[in-house]
Amino acid sequence: MRNDFKIKLINCKEDDLIHIGFDKAYVKKGINKHKFRTIKIYDLNCAQANILKQTALSTGTDCAVHKQVITGKVELSDCILSGTISQLEKICEKLKYQPLKLSSLASQISDTLFYKPETLMIRDIVLDWKTPYIMGILNLTPDSFSDGGKYNTTEKAINHYKKMIEDGADMIDIGGESTRPFSQKITVEEEICRVIPVIEKIRQTDKKTLISIDTRNAKTAQEALKAGADIINDISALDWDKEMLNVIVNNKCPVILNHSSASPDIMQKNTDYTDVVDDIYNYLDEKIDRLTKAGISKNSIIIDPGIGFGKTTEQNFEILKRIQEFKTLGCAILIGHSRKNFIKETINTESKEKLDITTAIISEKLAANGVNILRVHNVVNHDVVKRINNLFI
């Protein structure tokens, strides 16, 4: 028997409203009544939580709080606030006139609703974050987990760099020290000898391609910037070398902050988290605060939750599933998951072809969830991912 009405679930877009004959002059505002958001707010006292909940109820939505908030038997409560963008905007407007610093909370919620990392300009290249950028990996090491020894001469490295650019890489990440699990550190002098000749060689003929230097050592970073690198990719997020902050500040260069639970030789023995996403979020939040207080603009900070750097397979997937939570930090997001052990363990293979296919499948999900940079070995696969993803924007 045929149903009386035809219905379907949709992800409402402006075009959907126009298609049904909605007033075009009101579309930009009207769409906010059909987009839903959920926000977690930490450590409100009982009075703040009660006001927030009552304000939410007054707009037709709700806010989940600790069950003892109403009795005052708990000191603090995390809160989960949900609603359409339109409802949340109304909540913010009402909170502006409330005491207990809730006007400040209103501003933060409002900023969160329309998150987008600010455009970053490096030399004359504009990164607008409208689509994901592909970062090709160039390891100049004898012992990296995937391609160690393949490109450890300048000639081999240059040939591979050219191939990645031809395949569609937007930028190249050059590293001279393996940071795979249980790897041992090398001297700074050895690292410099590996990376500087390659950077200089690239810059002899290519002034355009963006280069990031993958290092945790301040001296290497400084020499790489002098040779022509544009970005510092610090896998220790400034923890390894205390001089790294000065290098970033003095050169006013963009920086990638990668979370790691410890140094590579012991990080896989340090996988205890209260909540892996919350813990990494708070860690990166503190690092961003430190950099901005030192004078680094937020649009020059790129965050990386550090897939494989002191995480179990389950924790890595938890991070990927909840990657959108990191958007609230207000920085561009980079993910480096390519060919890593958690993929090998999940699909039980050492085949690079299968690892690259799985990496690309994960990348497609990440791109759809707003990840801004995909750091990968197989660039040509990801040029396809990027082009297909652009069709869904």
Side-chain angles (χ1 to χ4, degrees):
M1 181 177 176
R2 188 175 179 85
N3 292 327
D4 292 329
F5 299 95
K6 181 179 179 180
I7 66 173
K8 69 173 180 176
L9 294 169
I10 67 168
N11 180 19
C12 189
K13 303 181 294 296
E14 290 181 13
D15 285 348
D16 294 308
L17 295 178
I18 293 170
H19 184 69
I20 65 169
F22 191 83
D23 186 350
K24 289 184 179 180
Y26 189 64
V27 165
K28 292 290 184 184
K29 189 171 183 180
I31 192 65
N32 288 338
K33 293 184 178 181
H34 302 277
K35 288 185 176 181
F36 199 83
R37 295 285 188 272
T38 299
I39 300 170
K40 185 174 182 179
I41 304 161
Y42 295 84
D43 297 333
L44 295 189
N45 62 40
C46 288
Q48 291 169 323
N50 271 317
I51 292 172
L52 180 60
K53 183 173 180 67
Q54 293 306 313
T55 305
L57 290 170
S58 74
T59 68
T61 186
D62 203 351
C63 177
V65 301
H66 191 285
K67 62 185 178 181
Q68 294 297 345
V69 158
I70 194 168
T71 66
K73 291 182 179 179
V74 292
E75 184 177 352
L76 299 172
S77 173
D78 294 344
C79 304
I80 297 178
L81 176 65
S82 300
T84 65
I85 290 179
S86 181
Q87 288 172 321
L88 294 171
E89 285 179 322
K90 289 176 183 177
I91 291 170
C92 290
E93 189 61 33
K94 291 186 176 187
L95 289 178
K96 287 179 183 178
Y97 305 100
Q98 294 291 346
L100 305 174
K101 297 184 178 180
L102 290 174
S103 60
S104 175
L105 176 61
S107 296
Q108 286 184 252
I109 293 173
S110 183
D111 290 343
T112 299
L113 292 178
F114 300 103
Y115 156 82
K116 183 186 175 185
E118 294 181 26
T119 296
L120 172 61
M121 178 171 283
I122 305 175
R123 290 181 279 109
D124 59 345
I125 300 167
V126 176
L127 302 180
D128 58 17
W129 312 121
K130 291 179 181 178
T131 61
Y133 293 94
I134 302 169
M135 174 183 278
I137 299 169
L138 183 54
N139 287 321
L140 311 179
T141 59
D143 56 345
S144 289
F145 74 90
S146 177
D147 50 9
K150 288 187 70 175
Y151 313 115
N152 60 346
T153 69
T154 299
E155 182 181 0
K156 290 178 181 178
I158 294 299
N159 288 338
H160 188 54
Y161 135 77
K162 289 179 179 178
K163 177 69 164 57
M164 288 193 289
I165 296 301
E166 289 172 6
D167 288 343
D170 298 296
M171 56 190 78
I172 303 294
D173 189 46
I174 298 178
E177 178 186 38
S178 174
T179 51
R180 76 190 192 286
F182 306 110
S183 61
Q184 300 298 313
K185 68 177 182 178
I186 62 172
T187 66
V188 173
E189 290 72 24
E190 184 175 0
E191 183 185 31
I192 288 173
C193 284
R194 291 175 181 177
V195 299
I196 300 305
V198 174
I199 296 172
E200 290 177 338
K201 187 72 173 177
I202 291 173
R203 283 293 180 243
Q204 286 177 10
T205 56
D206 181 352
K207 308 295 184 184
K208 185 176 181 181
T209 298
L210 294 178
I211 297 175
S212 68
I213 177 64
D214 181 357
T215 183
R216 52 183 170 163
N217 296 306
K219 187 175 180 181
T220 304
Q222 181 60 59
E223 291 300 314
L225 293 172
K226 189 162 59 173
D230 304 287
I231 305 166
I232 296 173
N233 181 8
D234 185 352
I235 64 104
S236 79
L238 315 183
D239 285 340
W240 178 261
D241 190 332
K242 302 307 178 186
E243 289 300 312
M244 188 66 87
L245 179 60
N246 291 331
V247 173
I248 296 165
V249 171
N250 293 337
N251 289 276
K252 295 182 174 58
C253 66
V255 60
I256 299 166
L257 299 174
N258 175 91
H259 173 272
S260 181
S261 65
S263 56
D265 55 327
I266 60 171
M267 63 188 179
Q268 287 309 114
K269 297 177 182 178
N270 290 268
T271 58
D272 293 332
Y273 300 90
T274 302
D275 178 301
V276 66
V277 173
D278 281 356
D279 290 357
I280 295 169
Y281 183 100
N282 292 333
Y283 171 92
L284 292 172
D285 190 28
E286 291 175 3
K287 297 293 183 179
I288 293 166
D289 184 59
R290 181 183 173 195
L291 280 168
T292 54
K293 284 179 178 176
I296 302 300
S297 61
K298 203 168 187 179
N299 70 328
S300 293
I301 303 170
I302 299 164
I303 56 173
D304 179 351
I307 297 299
F309 285 86
K311 288 92 177 174
T312 65
T313 293
E314 293 76 14
Q315 289 166 345
N316 286 316
F317 277 110
E318 182 71 8
I319 293 165
L320 296 178
K321 285 188 289 186
R322 295 169 59 186
I323 195 63
Q324 286 190 324
E325 295 181 30
F326 291 97
K327 288 184 177 182
T328 319
L329 289 170
C331 298
I333 301 170
L334 179 150
I335 295 292
H337 56 298
S338 181
R339 297 179 183 172
K340 287 192 173 177
N341 282 333
F342 81 104
I343 299 178
K344 293 181 183 179
E345 291 178 3
T346 301
I347 64 174
N348 191 27
T349 187
E350 292 288 336
S351 164
K352 285 188 179 178
E353 181 180 3
K354 291 181 180 179
L355 290 173
D356 284 343
I357 291 170
T358 309
T359 297
I361 292 170
I362 295 171
S363 294
E364 186 277 327
K365 302 293 183 185
L366 295 171
N369 281 308
V371 168
N372 305 106
I373 302 176
L374 299 167
R375 182 181 181 274
V376 298
H377 296 89
N378 189 318
V379 171
V380 70
N381 280 5
H382 285 78
D383 186 52
V384 174
V385 169
K386 180 176 178 177
R387 284 188 280 131
I388 296 299
N389 178 73
N390 290 349
L391 297 175
F392 287 86
I393 295 175

